[in-house]
Amino acid sequence: QVQLVESGGGLMQPGGSLSLSCAASGSIVRIAVMGWFRQDPGKQRELVATMTENGNTNLANSVKGRFTISRDNAKNTVYLQMNSLKPEDTGVYYCHARVFSYGAESYDVHWGQGTQVTVSA
């Protein structure tokens, strides 16, 4: 069993900042990738930012220069610092982790419950 618990998010005016965090717990051997996806109503979930355990990052073009992803491997936690927020950043942000668990034969993908981010004046 692996759980992803998200915190952060909320309502912010355009140009402001918000931060998200996600902690993974459970029968974890290693986490290859942790990150964030965003889903708008009626649309597919799309990548925002991910980071491998070695520190390699992948950010959506729309957030480059504004969002920063970081990770604490010892705490199995990933963070997303969102600066210069825009209304189009609004959506439900889901934590994502690709986890190798004890007793497993391969990596499994896990998702958090989602946290709402709203950017509006």
Side-chain angles (χ1 to χ4, degrees), residues 10-26:
L11 174 64
M12 178 54 64
Q13 293 183 340
S17 298
L18 286 173
S19 60
L20 305 178
S21 64
C22 172
S25 62

Side-chain angles (χ1 to χ4, degrees), residues 11-80:
L11 174 64
M12 178 54 64
Q13 293 183 340
S17 298
L18 286 173
S19 60
L20 305 178
S21 64
C22 172
S25 62
S27 301
I28 298 169
V29 175
R30 64 189 299 179
I31 304 177
V33 181
M34 290 191 82
W36 299 90
F37 285 67
R38 180 176 66 227
Q39 188 166 22
D40 299 325
K43 295 186 178 181
Q44 286 188 329
R45 199 169 292 185
E46 60 183 16
L47 178 142
V48 177
T50 59
M51 178 177 274
T52 69
E53 58 185 332
N54 296 322
N56 295 318
T57 61
N58 184 19
L59 277 74
N61 288 333
S62 61
V63 307
K64 287 179 180 177
R66 300 187 298 120
F67 290 12
T68 302
I69 186 170
S70 59
R71 180 173 165 176
D72 186 334
N73 290 334
K75 296 181 178 180
N76 289 332
T77 300
V78 65
Y79 307 92
L80 187 68

Side-chain angles (χ1 to χ4, degrees), residues 61-113:
N61 288 333
S62 61
V63 307
K64 287 179 180 177
R66 300 187 298 120
F67 290 12
T68 302
I69 186 170
S70 59
R71 180 173 165 176
D72 186 334
N73 290 334
K75 296 181 178 180
N76 289 332
T77 300
V78 65
Y79 307 92
L80 187 68
Q81 178 64 39
M82 303 182 290
N83 298 329
S84 302
L85 283 164
K86 303 177 180 180
E88 51 263 42
D89 296 322
T90 295
V92 179
Y93 284 68
Y94 292 90
C95 181
H96 162 96
R98 190 162 175 252
V99 179
F100 196 93
S101 302
Y102 285 102
E105 296 182 351
S106 62
Y107 284 88
D108 291 316
V109 173
H110 298 269
W111 295 95
Q113 77 281 5

